[in-house]
Amino acid sequence: MYVLYTILASLVSFFILKWLKKRRYCTDLKRLDGKTALITGGSSGVGKETAVALATRGARVVIACRDAEKAEKAVREIRLRGRSLNVAHMELDLANMASVRDFCERFLQKEKRLDVLVNNAGEEEEEEEEEDVVAYPMPSVLDWTDDGFSMCFGVNHLGHFLLTNTLLPRLKECTPSRVVTLTCSNYKYQKLDFQDLNYNLLPFFTYSRSKLANIYFTQELARIGEAKGVTAYAVHPGFVQSGWTCHYSFLFRMLMQVVMWMFFVPCELGAQTVVYCAVSEAAAKHNGGYFVDCRPATLRPFARDSGVARKLWEASERLVKLV
Ligand SMILES: NC(=O)c1ccc[n+]([C@@H]2O[C@H](COP(=O)([O-])OP(=O)(O)OC[C@H]3O[C@@H](n4cnc5c(N)ncnc54)[C@H](OP(=O)(O)O)[C@@H]3O)[C@@H](O)[C@H]2O)c1
């Protein structure tokens, strides 16, 4: 009898897990021949899978990464899996505004088109594991960028803010063009504090605030870009089996492997909503929208406040010295 119960329980759990992990694929088969897509952090996780998908559709794909060796390896894989030789990498460190400016200068010189910009690179707050020391997932001291911004806010929001603004003229030349920015459903757990945009205390909150900033950024960009033919979308890719745990302690990694296997989706599926927003005509009807699972999703009311979005845009312009 116990054997029967065990088999039944296993079957039920299997189908519940399968249902929980069920995700939609982008069914729009639009090709991107002759178009150029730039993907930040395209050397791993959701970014790399997005690069494969866009290369498969015929786009020239440029991945912008901070680690040249890792990027070179990723380019080889993207070429192979995307069946395209039209893939390249360029060096970019979003934690350093000088690097962002330098990258944009090189990109604008080299690349004549920019049709799709995917602001994917993401910094999780983390603690490096030191040799012979057990590292715990909750860091006591959080990192800062070279310019003195909190790592999450600096990379996830400000780096992409400066990048997008500097590349905007090229996006405007290639209309209709799109900017897809990766956010996270965790946005809902925090609000922005304009007295302390550089909040850097609890990792989870720091990350959530940066992802809320990605949503406001998308809304304001959509408003500014609409008349010029540049549209913007914010995407929560779902919880994805990417390599974000790699900097954590062995114990935490092992625990997360089990959790990820059970509840998280493969990176290829995580990339589907990004691809959907990059190509689909249906998505284009929701300029400034927030997307989950290849369809528009509803944001909490505080995250739809256009006044806050504009205020963040203006504050960001000052912080990255665009004005
Ligand atoms: N994974 C999830 O469950 C999940 C859930 C919701 C939202 N998201 C969002 O989805 C996006 C992709 O996540 P993922 O899980 O695919 O992440 P991932 O596997 O950790 O990849 C992140 C990428 O960003 C790059 N990156 C980090 N800091 C950078 C910097 N300063 N300059 C340039 N590149 C930098 C990394 O480069 P290196 O290889 O050099 O580290 C890596 O290629 C992120 O924005 C994340 O916040 C993910």
Side-chain angles (χ1 to χ4, degrees):
M1 203 59 179
Y2 284 122
V3 176
L4 191 68
Y5 283 149
T6 312
I7 293 173
L8 260 177
S10 309
L11 274 175
V12 170
S13 321
F14 175 77
F15 284 112
I16 289 177
L17 286 178
K18 223 173 141 60
W19 176 78
L20 277 172
K21 289 169 73 166
K22 199 166 159 238
R23 282 270 182 267
R24 287 165 164 232
Y25 274 86
C26 172
T27 51
D28 192 317
L29 300 177
K30 187 172 158 196
R31 292 206 43 94
L32 295 171
D33 301 290
K35 310 237 179 219
T36 298
L38 170 62
I39 303 164
T40 65
S43 58
S44 62
V46 176
K48 186 163 76 183
E49 293 305 321
T50 304
V52 171
L54 299 185
T56 307
R57 287 165 185 259
R60 167 163 176 74
V61 172
V62 180
I63 57 171
C65 310
R66 58 183 168 180
D67 180 338
E69 210 176 302
K70 194 172 164 187
E72 187 53 55
K73 207 168 144 224
V75 165
R76 284 199 293 273
E77 184 186 333
I78 297 162
R79 283 181 178 162
L80 198 71
R81 291 177 52 211
R83 293 198 192 95
S84 162
L85 289 176
N86 209 357
V87 183
H89 73 87
M90 287 176 68
E91 209 172 312
L92 164 70
D93 183 359
L94 287 155
N96 181 316
M97 295 303 153
S99 167
V100 178
R101 287 197 168 86
D102 174 62
F103 169 85
C104 292
E105 208 178 302
R106 283 180 287 121
F107 183 89
L108 291 172
Q109 259 170 26
K110 263 177 87 174
E111 303 291 334
K112 294 300 159 227
R113 296 199 65 86
L114 180 56
D115 302 274
V116 178
L117 168 60
V118 182
N119 289 324
N120 160 82
E123 196 65 74
E124 311 269 342
E125 281 300 357
E126 66 201 23
E127 185 178 51
E128 298 279 347
E129 190 172 2
E130 289 171 35
E131 263 178 68
D132 303 327
V133 176
V134 180
Y136 294 94
M138 293 296 281
S140 48
V141 180
L142 303 181
D143 278 344
W144 299 89
T145 69
D146 299 339
D147 306 275
F149 302 121
S150 85
M151 192 55 86
C152 269
F153 187 67
V155 170
N156 299 358
H157 171 62
L158 288 178
H160 283 125
F161 178 84
L162 179 60
L163 180 83
T164 309
N165 272 285
T166 317
L167 297 179
L168 208 50
R170 187 56 42 88
L171 285 159
K172 284 178 186 165
E173 283 166 24
C174 301
T175 54
S177 52
R178 302 187 186 198
V179 179
V180 184
T181 301
L182 274 287
T183 178
C184 179
S185 60
N186 287 0
Y187 81 84
K188 60 170 95 75
Y189 300 119
Q190 283 289 293
K191 286 187 181 165
L192 293 187
D193 176 0
F194 280 92
Q195 303 307 315
D196 186 15
L197 281 173
N198 251 332
Y199 168 90
N200 207 11
L201 277 176
L202 292 173
F204 180 75
F205 291 165
T206 307
Y207 175 71
S208 304
R209 285 184 190 200
S210 73
K211 292 285 130 183
L212 175 60
N214 290 150
I215 290 173
Y216 287 131
F217 161 74
T218 297
Q219 289 166 4
E220 187 60 8
L221 178 62
R223 192 187 67 77
I224 293 170
E226 186 147 41
K228 311 257 168 30
V230 183
T231 52
Y233 312 88
V235 168
H236 166 57
F239 291 101
V240 180
Q241 295 161 352
S242 60
W244 64 271
T245 57
C246 66
H247 303 279
Y248 288 88
S249 67
F250 177 75
L251 206 68
F252 182 72
R253 280 205 307 273
M254 288 304 105
L255 181 71
M256 280 314 293
Q257 283 308 320
V258 179
V259 175
M260 285 210 280
W261 177 80
M262 287 171 71
F263 300 109
F264 287 26
V265 298
C267 295
E268 188 201 350
L269 267 174
Q272 290 300 309
T273 310
V274 184
V275 175
Y276 176 79
C277 287
V279 302
S280 135
E281 286 313 315
K285 291 181 192 139
H286 302 271
N287 186 19
Y290 168 64
F291 289 76
V292 183
D293 215 5
C294 293
R295 56 189 154 189
T298 309
L299 285 165
R300 296 280 165 93
F302 74 87
R304 281 182 265 139
D305 188 328
S306 55
V308 177
R310 193 169 305 182
K311 196 170 167 186
L312 175 66
W313 188 278
E314 287 164 4
S316 307
E317 279 181 328
R318 288 192 294 276
L319 286 170
V320 302
K321 301 190 172 62
L322 271 178
V323 287

